[in-house]
Amino acid sequence: MTEWMSNHLLTFLVFAPAIWGLLILCFPEKQAPLAKLLAIFGATGLFFISAARLLTIPPEGPMNLIFAEHLPWFSVLGLPVDYSLTLDGLNLWLVMLTTFLTPLTMLGTYRSVTKMGGSFMALILVLEAGMLGAFLAQDLLFFYLFWEAMLIPMYFMIGVWGGDERKYASNKFLLYTLSGSLLWLVALLYLATKAGTFAPAILAATALGLPFHIQCTLFLAFALAFAIKVPLFPLHTWLPDAHVQAPTAGSVILAGVLLKFGAYGFMRFAIPIFPDAFLHYAKPIAMLSVIAIIYGALVAMVQRDIKKLVAYSSVSHMGFVMLGLASMTVIGTQGAMLQMLNHGISTGALFLLVGMLYDRAHTRMIADFGGVASKMPVYTTFFFIVTLSSIGLPLTNGFIGEFLILNGTYISGFPWGRVFSVLATLGVLLGAVYMLWMFKKVFWGPENPDEDSGTQHLHMDLSVREIAVMVPIVLLIFWMGLHPRSFIAISERPITNLLHTVKAPDPRVKVPSVPGLEPVLNAGQATMGVEEVRK
């Protein structure tokens, strides 16, 4: 077994949760408590196995390749499809984020789902398998299969266990994602027919030989599917509905992991396959990102539902990620990579905390609360720390990601770089406004005297189980804020190599030295105009 794990670790990570989840799905409803415990046990075991195996092995090779599995699989339309899984600097921490959040989500929402709880936990495990498969898959059709497979468990999680408008929200989520994915599949099949394979390196070499207008058309098909998943303005409208109607666990996984696939798709496939087209559309992407940052923050400011406020904050935060990618600097792209992790931790924690409050008060309306701090001081402390993380307070994880993105955009050689970076800072300020306003009203505002108000139902602070969920998240918030180098060092080399394929203009200014970030900042000053011959 040990030898098999050493040679097929990635296969184990992808398919073990799926098999475990399908077995748990067979449990009868009367054994739901046992099924839930077994699901948590399986997800926790997978996290410890992934941490023990992945975080103790030094990266090797020119692309920081850590693990790889590759063998021929089957053919479609005469094109070979490979069983290809790879773990490297671009997806290591995203894989760890997935295995970290899944058991915490299960434990944090253990008592939230009372109907078919075992089946619900089993779907989370199946969804985890799909997410891990998509992060690790290298063959593009293999990636596409996992991309679509993720929709099924999330659709049922929203449609069966969601709120009053769950059917509308789940159908909207499915239709949005499928519509973009089908156009992407058409473009993929066209390019694969030209290349004779679905291997990214050969697809990239083939795309370079196509006329530029065809490259742009194919890139837009890829970009549409990934932009919907981000979600990038104006393709974001499915997200607030899905978040509000989804059960707490669905919201945590949706915000914590699923939204990352859009930006990851750009980094892993769209940019290296269509570097010239990405450069051509960098300004429109950056413009839409800035609009998303400001628009998401402004709409969040007027929300009266705490969960919907957090949902719109995701639109703003993910706009920063796309802005970092559009900057085409190592600093900005490293910031985007870190911000994906930051958003997964902080926003996932916010949805967990909102769910814990809803379980007690059965309402999420801001006006129904007030004086929560006096009734739940431990809960208030955790919520305050996560709020500071979300608004990017220095020493927390949120600060360094936004700092690198704004700096990378500002120093980029694009004429619009400085203007867009300045405009994007408004999102930071507005984020502090709506989050601190909400925190003040709910926790320190005057208590709602109505007998049916949310505050009147708060009789118990966090349980030991809930504290056990929040402690590792808070520790990670400060670890990422105080020592970000441990999270971005492994992605520095593959990101630098990635951007060498894009003939972006050189950065305009010398980046000032920041203690602890010299290697990243120095890398950001490297010339981005080196054209690398693809092998």
Side-chain angles (χ1 to χ4, degrees):
M1 181 64 180
T2 302
E3 182 180 353
W4 188 91
M5 282 282 291
S6 299
N7 296 329
H8 303 285
L9 175 64
L10 303 186
T11 297
F12 175 81
L13 291 179
V14 172
F15 292 102
I19 295 172
W20 194 247
L22 291 176
L23 290 174
I24 292 175
L25 200 59
C26 299
F27 276 57
E29 177 61 23
K30 62 182 180 180
Q31 293 183 336
L34 174 61
K36 291 162 72 172
L37 289 175
L38 288 175
I40 295 173
F41 173 78
T44 305
L46 190 73
F47 166 70
F48 283 115
I49 290 173
S50 63
R53 300 289 296 175
L54 302 184
L55 300 184
T56 58
I57 298 179
E60 300 175 356
M63 289 295 290
N64 280 21
L65 188 65
I66 301 175
F67 283 103
E69 297 180 28
H70 183 93
L71 54 89
W73 192 16
F74 68 95
S75 297
V76 57
L77 301 177
L79 302 173
V81 179
D82 295 331
Y83 180 88
S84 182
L85 301 173
T86 296
L87 186 80
D88 60 13
L90 289 182
N91 59 10
L92 170 65
W93 285 112
L94 293 171
V95 168
M96 291 305 306
L97 176 68
T98 305
T99 61
F100 174 75
L101 277 183
T102 301
L104 289 181
T105 301
M106 290 178 168
L107 188 62
T109 60
Y110 180 79
R111 298 188 182 278
S112 299
V113 178
T114 57
K115 178 181 68 173
M116 296 184 293
S119 300
F120 183 78
M121 294 294 188
L123 283 179
I124 295 179
L125 286 171
V126 174
L127 178 58
E128 181 183 21
M131 294 186 297
L132 290 173
F135 278 134
L136 294 170
Q138 287 303 292
D139 183 278
L140 260 169
L141 189 62
F142 196 31
F143 173 79
Y144 179 83
L145 295 177
F146 280 115
W147 176 279
E148 298 290 34
M150 291 186 296
L151 299 179
I152 300 172
M154 181 56 71
Y155 174 81
F156 284 108
M157 288 170 65
I158 298 174
V160 176
W161 288 273
D164 295 336
E165 299 181 10
R166 56 185 179 273
K167 292 184 179 179
Y168 169 78
S170 59
N171 288 332
K172 190 174 183 180
F173 163 73
L174 185 67
L175 291 175
Y176 255 82
T177 307
L178 275 180
S179 60
S181 299
L182 290 177
L183 290 174
W184 169 38
L185 179 61
V186 172
L188 174 59
L189 291 175
Y190 174 86
L191 184 58
T193 302
K194 297 286 186 181
T197 181
F198 291 98
I202 301 177
L203 291 174
T206 303
L208 285 176
L210 297 175
F212 183 66
H213 70 280
I214 296 181
Q215 292 184 44
C216 290
T217 302
L218 295 175
F219 169 78
L220 289 176
F222 276 61
L224 177 64
F226 297 148
I228 289 174
K229 189 73 83 175
V230 168
L232 188 63
F233 178 91
L235 304 171
H236 67 284
T237 56
W238 64 269
L239 181 66
D241 292 321
H243 268 315
V244 171
Q245 296 304 317
T248 299
S251 296
V252 175
I253 294 177
L254 182 61
V257 183
L258 279 181
L259 298 189
K260 311 303 173 288
F261 283 100
Y264 176 76
F266 276 101
M267 294 177 63
R268 176 65 77 183
F269 300 116
I271 296 177
I273 294 176
F274 307 104
D276 296 336
F278 184 75
L279 177 62
H280 180 71
Y281 289 108
K283 183 177 180 179
I285 292 174
M287 184 179 299
L288 292 176
S289 302
V290 172
I291 293 174
I293 291 170
I294 298 175
Y295 169 83
L298 289 175
V299 177
M301 289 177 63
V302 299
Q303 298 305 314
R304 294 297 177 261
D305 184 325
I306 305 175
K307 196 174 186 181
K308 202 164 189 177
L309 182 150
V310 177
Y312 274 104
S313 75
S314 290
V315 176
S316 184
H317 290 310
M318 292 305 294
F320 276 104
V321 173
M322 291 305 301
L323 181 62
L325 294 181
S327 73
M328 294 190 193
T329 59
V330 174
I331 299 177
T333 308
Q334 284 279 64
M337 192 75 188
L338 188 61
Q339 190 66 6
M340 283 194 281
L341 302 176
N342 295 337
H343 178 265
I345 296 297
S346 300
T347 306
L350 282 175
F351 278 118
L352 273 174
L353 289 166
V354 173
M356 293 173 187
L357 189 65
Y358 180 79
D359 288 342
R360 291 163 169 79
H362 306 293
T363 178
R364 296 188 302 263
M365 304 307 293
I366 296 175
D368 288 337
F369 294 99
V372 174
S374 61
K375 294 199 170 188
M376 301 177 66
V378 176
Y379 175 83
T380 302
T381 302
F382 281 120
F383 204 110
F384 184 60
I385 292 173
V386 177
T387 296
L388 296 180
S389 165
S390 180
I391 66 178
L393 185 76
L395 304 184
T396 66
N397 60 337
F399 169 75
I400 192 64
E402 293 176 351
F403 173 80
L404 292 178
I405 290 169
L406 294 174
N407 272 272
T409 305
Y410 187 87
I411 69 163
S412 68
F414 295 109
W416 44 261
R418 296 185 177 184
V419 175
F420 283 4
S421 64
V422 171
L423 290 175
T425 57
L426 292 176
V428 180
L429 298 176
L430 294 175
V433 170
Y434 65 74
M435 287 301 297
L436 294 178
W437 170 82
M438 179 270 292
F439 185 85
K440 178 184 176 182
K441 297 284 281 187
V442 171
F443 293 89
W444 298 107
E447 184 174 324
N448 191 323
D450 192 338
E451 293 183 357
D452 294 328
S453 70
T455 307
Q456 302 301 321
H457 290 84
L458 301 179
H459 306 297
M460 183 181 68
D461 209 335
L462 294 187
S463 65
V464 175
R465 171 181 57 86
E466 292 167 326
I467 292 175
V469 170
M470 294 308 304
V471 166
I473 293 177
V474 169
L475 292 177
L476 194 55
I477 284 173
F478 287 112
W479 179 20
M480 296 176 72
L482 294 170
H483 199 256
R485 183 68 186 164
S486 59
F487 292 87
I488 58 180
I490 196 170
S491 61
E492 184 174 338
R493 188 188 301 174
I495 284 177
T496 302
N497 293 337
L498 168 68
L499 293 179
H500 279 168
T501 66
V502 184
K503 295 172 286 187
D506 295 343
R508 291 183 173 188
V509 297
K510 182 178 177 63
V511 184
S513 176
V514 178
L517 291 176
E518 289 86 352
V520 179
L521 296 177
N522 291 336
Q525 300 176 54
T527 300
M528 299 300 161
V530 180
E531 185 172 2
E532 182 178 292
V533 178
R534 297 172 181 241
K535 297 183 180 180

